[in-house]
């Protein structure tokens, strides 16, 4: 057996042992230090795991449901807003979300708020935005519409679309 293989087996056994419940007799055996070591390691590993999980959620692009009051407040403050006219049954809409989510995690798009208008249930808002089709993207900045696109799924074009002019 190679040295690398034996290290892998040892690592697997160690992490499997960490997941097993501590038996009462472990505390009185010759390996009584194992529960203490296990507890110290778990006290460090669990907070790191949850910190990483929360950090990932904080960076994740958040497609928020459209609310008129939120949109108006963002417009009044001159904040950049991407409005996505979306339908759950629309494959193009789903593809747009798949492409945009990782892009929106980039630092240069951190100030961009994405509001998702449901094409089927928010007809009044769809009409207010003069969107004739689902999969319509409308970018606003400084209280004004900057650009609009329908049906675009190409990553490079979507990147250009959401990049605000300086």
């Amino acid at each position: 057996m190679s040295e690398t293989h034996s290290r892998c087996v040892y690592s697997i056994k160690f992490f499997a042992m960490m997941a097993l419940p501590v038996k009462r007799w472990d505390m009185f055996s010759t390996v009584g230090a194992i529960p203490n070591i296990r507890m110290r390691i778990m006290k460090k590993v669990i907070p790191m795991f949850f910190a990483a999980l929360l950090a990932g959620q904080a960076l994740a692009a958040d497609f928020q449901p459209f609310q008129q009051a939120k949109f108006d407040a963002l417009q009044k403050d001159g904040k950049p807003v991407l409005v996505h006219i979306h339908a759950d049954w629309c494959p193009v809409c789903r593809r747009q979300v798949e492409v945009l989510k990782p892009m929106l995690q980039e630092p240069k798009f951190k100030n961009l708020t994405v509001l998702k208008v449901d094409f089927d249930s928010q007809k009044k808002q769809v009409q207010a935005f003069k969107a004739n089709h689902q999969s319509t993207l409308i970018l606003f900045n400084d209280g004004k519409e900057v650009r609009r696109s329908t049906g675009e799924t190409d990553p490079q074009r979507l990147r250009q679309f959401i990049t605000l002019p300086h």
Side-chain angles (χ1 to χ4, degrees), residues 103-117:
M103 272 184 218
L104 293 170
Q105 292 177 8
E106 296 173 17
K108 74 182 204 177
F109 300 120
K110 70 179 179 188
N111 295 327
L112 182 64
T113 302
V114 183
L115 299 176
K116 185 162 65 168
V117 177

Side-chain angles (χ1 to χ4, degrees), residues 25-45:
W25 54 265
D26 278 350
M27 290 184 245
F28 303 107
S29 71
T30 57
V31 289
I34 290 176
N36 292 334
I37 293 169
R38 184 183 310 173
M39 187 57 78
R40 279 188 270 155
I41 291 172
M42 294 310 282
K43 281 182 179 179
K44 291 180 182 179
V45 170

Side-chain angles (χ1 to χ4, degrees), residues 56-70:
Q57 287 178 344
L59 293 174
D62 188 18
F63 282 72
Q64 303 171 25
F66 182 86
Q67 296 175 348
Q68 189 66 49
K70 173 117 176 146

